[in-house]
Structures are given as C-alpha cells and as structure tokens.
Amino acid sequence: QMSRKQLFTFQFENNEHISTIYKKPINTGNNMIVGIPDEAWLSPPNDGDELVAYDSEGLIVGNAPYREGASVITIWGDDELTSRKDGLKNGERFYLELWRGDRRVVEKVIISDWDQGGGQYVVNGISLAGSVVLCGLEERNLIKICDVLGREIIPSDNNKDNLLLYIYDDGSIEK
C-alpha cells in the first residue's frame, strides 16, 4: 500500500499536465487528490493514456496522464464565490474516464474498492484506489475534432480555449 508521502512525491515531481484532448479544469483554489497505484489496475493503461475526472453533468474537474508506478489526479472543488458551478461541491460524487491514446477510445474507470477515502469530493481530501476495472463506452472511436464552424482541427495550445467538438463513429458528439 502506498503512503501519503509516496503519493505526494508522485504528484509534485511531475510538471503540470497539458492535455491534448481535454479542456483544462479550472483552478478554483480548493482541491483533493486521487491516487491510483499500478497494482490497483486490473489491466493497466499505457504511456500516453489520460485520466479525466467529471461531475455528473460532464464538467471536467481534473485530468492527469497515466504514470507508471502511480497516477495522481488533482480534482477541483467549486469556487463558491462565483455564480456558476466550476468544480465539485463537498460530498459530490466524481466520475473517472480513461482516454486510450493509441486506440483513440474512452473507457469508464470503475473503482470497485478504495484503500483510503472514496468517490466523493472532500476539500483537501486524499482518496486512494484499491481496485480498478475499465469498461468500454460502447467501443466508440473518435472520427475527428472540429471547431464550431465544422472545420476539422488538431488540438493545440493555440486553440485550447476554443469550443471543440469531438465526433465519434457511434454518432455521439462531445464538447
């Protein structure tokens, strides 16, 4: 089992993650840490895969790359000084997905057992996964990424603040 110190070492020795796929979550000033050690995965991800945390409405509240040894995701809470919801409320459940970079598919991350904490947001909390199962989301594949005018684009730092539409082969579209 991983100690708090080991978890924080993984968190802080890595530079800030810049996603090529997902919009960066808002730093709201309050957060928690979710750690997934390699031994928790039933079938471990690969380098280049990315973990993403959502609320029940699909708001991205955290993302991080898969890292060999342990993956650490900072999950952001709601800034109560703003009028819109920009993170998780205390006690609110979070959901995780894994973007498989090599196959360009998204899989649902189901944590069936927690060694510490749980699947709800707690300010300054630490949750440590004990057992993780991946579940395909109807095995859909990303066809292309477009801007709001329908022009196909390649995500980059230049257009990361623009609204992007992710179009999948099952007919679904995500923004």
Side-chain angles (χ1 to χ4, degrees), residues 58-70:
L59 174 71
I60 295 175
V61 293
N63 64 343
Y66 163 75
R67 298 231 192 256
E68 202 172 312

Side-chain angles (χ1 to χ4, degrees), residues 1-2 35 37 39-40 111 113-118 126-131:
Q1 182 168 331
M2 192 167 245
E39 60 268 13
I111 300 177
D113 179 47
W114 293 93
D115 281 349
Q116 181 179 332
I126 294 178
S127 288
L128 189 59
S131 181

Side-chain angles (χ1 to χ4, degrees), residues 34-159:
V34 175
I36 306 176
D38 267 0
E39 60 268 13
W41 295 98
L42 197 58
S43 57
N46 303 311
D47 280 336
D49 292 351
E50 183 175 348
L51 289 152
V52 183
Y54 295 95
D55 71 1
S56 61
E57 304 293 313
L59 174 71
I60 295 175
V61 293
N63 64 343
Y66 163 75
R67 298 231 192 256
E68 202 172 312
S71 298
V72 179
I73 311 158
T74 300
I75 295 183
W76 296 96
D78 188 42
D79 180 352
E80 295 181 0
L81 299 177
T82 61
S83 57
R84 69 182 168 151
K85 185 174 186 276
D86 48 16
L88 293 171
K89 303 224 180 273
N90 220 22
E92 185 178 358
R93 184 176 159 85
F94 57 84
Y95 303 88
L96 299 174
E97 288 181 354
L98 179 74
W99 163 256
R100 293 276 194 180
D102 56 348
R103 298 198 323 254
R104 297 176 69 83
V105 296
V106 176
E107 294 177 322
K108 188 175 184 179
V109 175
I110 300 165
I111 300 177
S112 54
D113 179 47
W114 293 93
D115 281 349
Q116 181 179 332
Q120 290 83 27
Y121 180 76
V122 178
V123 178
N124 297 326
I126 294 178
S127 288
L128 189 59
S131 181
V132 181
V133 179
L134 294 170
C135 171
L137 297 175
E138 298 95 42
E139 278 306 309
R140 64 184 184 170
N141 294 303
L142 183 64
I143 297 174
K144 63 182 176 178
I145 302 171
C146 298
D147 63 12
V148 291
L149 300 176
R151 297 176 297 206
E152 189 167 353
I153 62 157
I154 296 168
S156 69
D157 284 345
N158 298 337
N159 57 24

